[in-house]
């Protein structure tokens, strides 16, 4: 089976992908994510898959697991792992409308990672239409909470990965047409400042502002950034009345490191910020953490397989470790051969100019089909 001969068509793929992109699915809106999962589940059911719905927890949407018909059904095979949540609130489609401009197509979540998820299904669809039976059974797992660290579904992902021989993750491809064979470690932290209230007009000096302390700590946290370990504060809430000295302020911080030892030191530095200063208590607690994923022999052998397929299709396929976490952090760390970044090429993810390179739908679809057709 030569994937170059499969009749992938970018215009047809865009038509199907548009339905997915225009069904907005921000992580914190469980109903919206479930609507997106409904669409994906229906598409896979039409393709002949057996669909299982797993209820969500912790306020997140659910999970869709699809197993495609195969003579070896139930034996270890290939897991395609993707997330259907995005960072874009409902209503973003009015600001980031679906539009095509030459080789670019725009829309919320189109690159991260609905485009990759969709091309993965198209690869399965094309192989089925060609009456080609893959050497291994295929399972697709779509989850609802990757953008916030996968707090509610890590156990499901790891359990499903353990049942399979390979994990393919269609997160966005690298700008150089590369794939991802490792990912940096990421830790999240919860921040809380507790001060003393007073009337901001009549007795200002009697109060101790939690917002002021939070602001001071934000500067200190971000100043800890080095090449080996970065720190940033992305969420802050504080105060309730402008005429009251703020009693509480909360925030969330994120740290990323290329090596686990660097992240561990960063975690220690963050937790050491807890204490009391100027009568204001500041508390740091550790949140969701993604471990460093460093490629092992199994992952590199999987990469070499993909590189050979890409070469047969006339393309180079470089590889590298990437910043920004994915669920590949978990499966790769488990020692299961994992290849990430198999999705579309594009750019400006998590912004109001998120786009994909349309030609990459077919190119990466063929690469995915080649992997599914040859892994054994």
């Amino acid at each position: 089976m030569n994937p170059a001969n499969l009749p992938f068509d970018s215009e047809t793929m865009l038509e199907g992908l548009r339905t997915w992109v225009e069904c907005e699915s921000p992580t914190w809106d469980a109903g919206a994510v479930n609507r997106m999962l409904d669409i994906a589940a229906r598409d896979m059911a039409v393709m002949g898959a057996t669909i299982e719905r797993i209820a969500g927890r912790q306020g997140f949407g659910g999970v869709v697991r699809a197993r495609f018909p195969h003579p070896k059904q139930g034996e270890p095979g290939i897991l395609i792992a993707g997330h259907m949540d995005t960072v874009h609130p409902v209503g973003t489609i009015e600001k980031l409308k679906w539009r095509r401009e030459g080789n670019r197509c725009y829309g919320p979540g189109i690159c991260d990672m609905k485009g990759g998820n969709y091309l993965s299904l198209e690869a399965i669809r094309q192989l089925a239409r060609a009456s080609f039976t893959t050497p291994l059974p295929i399972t697709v797992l779509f989850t609802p909470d990757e953008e916030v660290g996968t707090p509610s579904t890590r156990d499901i992902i790891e359990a499903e990965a353990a049942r399979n021989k390979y994990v393919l993750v269609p997160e966005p491809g690298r700008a150089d047409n590369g794939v991802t064979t490792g990912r940096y470690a990421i830790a999240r932290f919860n921040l809380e400042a507790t001060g003393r209230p007073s009337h901001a007009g009549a007795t200002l000096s009697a109060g101790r502002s939690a917002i002021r302390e939070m602001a001071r700590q934000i500067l200190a946290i971000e100043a800890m950034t080095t090449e080996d370990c970065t720190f940033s504060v992305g969420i802050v809430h504080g105060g309730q009345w402008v005429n009251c000295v703020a009693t509480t302020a909360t925030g969330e911080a994120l740290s990323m490191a290329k090596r686990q030892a660097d992240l561990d030191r960063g975690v220690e530095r963050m937790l050491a910020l807890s204490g009391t200063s100027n009568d204001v208590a500041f508390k740091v607690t550790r949140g969701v953490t993604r471990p460093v994923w460093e490629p092992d022999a199994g992952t590199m052998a999987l990469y070499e397989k993909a590189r050979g397929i890409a070469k047969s299709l006339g393309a180079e396929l470089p590889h590298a470790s990437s910043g920004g976490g994915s669920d590949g952090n978990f499966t790769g760390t488990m020692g299961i051969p994992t290849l990430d970044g198999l999705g579309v090429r594009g750019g400006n993810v998590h912004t109001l100019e998120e786009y994909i390179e349309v030609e990459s739908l077919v190119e990466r679809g063929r690469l995915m089909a080649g992997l599914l057709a040859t892994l054994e």
Side-chain angles (χ1 to χ4, degrees):
M1 197 288 300
N2 184 350
N5 295 330
L6 295 173
F8 284 89
D9 181 76
S10 59
E11 298 305 317
T12 301
M13 293 173 76
L14 280 177
E15 184 178 347
L17 179 57
R18 180 171 186 170
T19 300
W20 285 27
V21 172
E22 291 186 337
C23 181
E24 298 176 277
S25 51
T27 311
W28 294 113
D29 189 332
V33 175
N34 283 335
R35 287 191 291 274
M36 179 61 246
L37 291 169
D38 288 342
I39 294 173
R42 189 180 193 280
D43 286 349
M44 291 188 288
V46 170
M47 293 167 62
T50 299
I51 305 298
E52 298 172 78
R53 298 298 294 263
I54 302 168
R57 61 173 184 166
Q58 300 176 15
F60 296 103
V63 174
V64 167
R65 178 168 54 203
R67 303 194 194 277
F68 288 83
H70 196 277
K72 297 180 180 178
Q73 190 68 56
E75 296 182 18
I78 301 169
L79 173 65
I80 298 174
H83 66 88
M84 282 299 187
D85 60 315
T86 78
V87 302
H88 302 284
V90 170
T92 302
I93 196 68
E94 298 303 318
K95 302 174 183 177
L96 178 53
K97 292 182 183 294
W98 173 277
R99 71 184 193 277
R100 171 84 177 272
E101 295 179 358
N103 188 42
R104 291 186 176 185
C105 189
Y106 294 79
I110 192 170
C111 188
D112 186 13
M113 62 179 290
K114 292 183 180 180
N117 289 341
Y118 192 86
L119 71 82
S120 300
L121 298 195
E122 184 66 15
I124 298 170
R125 188 182 290 116
Q126 290 290 343
L127 290 170
R129 287 175 178 171
S131 300
F132 183 89
T133 300
T134 59
L136 296 175
I138 300 168
T139 299
V140 173
L141 191 72
F142 287 144
T143 54
D145 60 347
E146 189 274 345
E147 293 293 1
V148 295
T150 320
S152 75
T153 58
R154 177 177 177 175
D155 56 347
I156 292 175
I157 294 166
E158 291 179 338
E160 196 60 43
R163 300 183 186 105
N164 287 277
K165 296 181 67 174
Y166 304 99
V167 178
L168 306 180
V169 185
E171 288 274 5
R174 298 174 62 86
D176 61 358
N177 194 48
V179 290
T180 296
T181 50
R183 286 200 180 263
Y184 304 161
I186 294 180
R188 296 170 185 250
F189 301 91
N190 302 308
L191 315 175
E192 182 180 5
T194 305
R196 187 169 69 211
S198 71
H199 192 294
T203 56
L204 177 61
S205 61
R208 297 292 183 269
S209 173
I211 291 177
R212 179 185 178 89
E213 180 63 15
M214 180 64 73
R216 188 181 73 83
Q217 294 285 3
I218 289 170
L219 295 176
I221 289 168
E222 300 201 342
M224 295 193 303
T225 291
T226 66
E227 287 189 4
D228 295 325
C229 192
T230 62
F231 299 85
S232 61
V233 177
I235 298 175
V236 178
H237 302 284
Q240 191 171 18
W241 306 97
V242 72
N243 59 344
C244 295
V245 172
T247 307
T248 60
T250 60
E252 294 182 37
L254 183 141
S255 179
M256 184 174 69
K258 298 179 182 180
R259 292 172 292 273
Q260 190 66 46
D262 294 327
L263 186 74
D264 292 343
R265 284 190 290 269
V267 169
E268 289 181 9
R269 295 182 70 187
M270 283 293 297
L271 297 179
L273 294 175
S274 294
T276 300
S277 177
N278 301 319
D279 296 327
V280 180
F282 189 72
K283 182 179 180 181
V284 180
T285 55
R286 188 172 179 174
V288 177
T289 302
R290 293 189 189 274
V292 169
W293 164 34
E294 296 182 0
D296 59 13
T299 285
M300 292 311 299
L302 176 55
Y303 161 70
E304 289 297 335
K305 168 75 77 171
R307 189 167 76 95
I309 294 168
K311 188 173 183 179
S312 73
L313 294 170
E316 295 297 321
L317 192 74
H319 76 97
S321 289
S322 297
S326 87
D327 293 329
N329 283 74
F330 304 135
T331 64
T333 303
M334 292 171 67
I336 299 167
T338 298
L339 194 58
D340 200 341
L342 284 165
V344 287
R345 295 189 307 277
N348 297 336
V349 297
H350 293 194
T351 77
L352 293 178
E353 290 296 322
E354 183 170 340
Y355 71 90
I356 63 169
E357 298 175 13
V358 174
E359 64 186 11
S360 69
L361 282 168
V362 169
E363 293 170 3
R364 288 306 182 98
R366 289 199 168 114
L367 176 61
M368 179 66 75
L371 281 167
L372 297 176
T374 56
L375 287 175
E376 55 187 20

